[in-house]
Amino acid sequence: MAEKSRLRQALSKWADSGEAHQRDLRESYATAEAVAIVDAPEREHVVVNGVLRTVTLRPRGGVPALEAELDDGSGVITVVWLGRRRITGVDPGRSMTVAGCIGRQGGVPLMFNPRYELRP
């Protein structure tokens, strides 16, 4: 019985730390010019800040495409640069600001070929 309570405590601690991490991200990337990813309207020019969770090369229609998941603590958006295999500085864990129009594909928010700024 004591093992179950230790397991529950460990899981609870892990879940709380995940929520705290998301809260910290929201606070870190909230700025006057940027909107939260969860609140970003579709088909309008927006600016969002966040940290890159993943960066992958995934061809789209026979064209190379660099895809990255940007997380600001409120949500995640997939950022796609068509025709690019690599962008120096665009690596997991890097903070950045992207600007462009958001669309959806299969319920996933996407931004194609955004303007971007790497942040320290």
Side-chain angles (χ1 to χ4, degrees):
M1 190 73 163
E3 288 181 36
K4 277 191 174 182
S5 78
R6 275 190 251 145
L7 177 61
R8 284 185 184 147
Q9 288 174 351
L11 287 173
S12 178
K13 184 176 180 180
W14 179 78
D16 289 344
S17 68
E19 291 172 15
H21 178 69
Q22 292 302 99
R23 185 176 55 251
D24 290 345
L25 282 175
R26 285 191 300 272
E27 292 170 3
S28 297
Y29 293 105
T31 62
E33 75 276 355
V35 297
I37 291 171
V38 74
D39 297 329
E42 290 182 33
R43 297 183 179 154
E44 290 182 27
H45 189 274
V46 295
V47 175
V48 295
N49 297 322
V51 64
L52 294 173
R53 292 192 334 188
T54 63
V55 179
T56 27
L57 178 62
R58 184 168 296 142
R60 287 179 170 261
V63 176
L66 187 66
E67 289 189 8
E69 289 183 334
L70 187 71
D71 184 358
D72 72 349
S74 73
V76 177
I77 185 169
T78 301
V79 182
V80 181
W81 288 276
L82 295 171
R84 302 295 297 264
R85 294 181 189 278
R86 173 115 176 86
I87 299 174
T88 302
V90 175
D91 298 305
R94 184 68 189 251
S95 297
M96 71 183 321
T97 299
V98 295
C101 291
I102 296 176
R104 285 198 183 272
Q105 184 175 23
V108 176
L110 292 166
M111 186 181 287
F112 284 95
N113 298 321
R115 295 185 68 118
Y116 67 95
E117 179 181 335
L118 299 174
R119 298 175 57 162

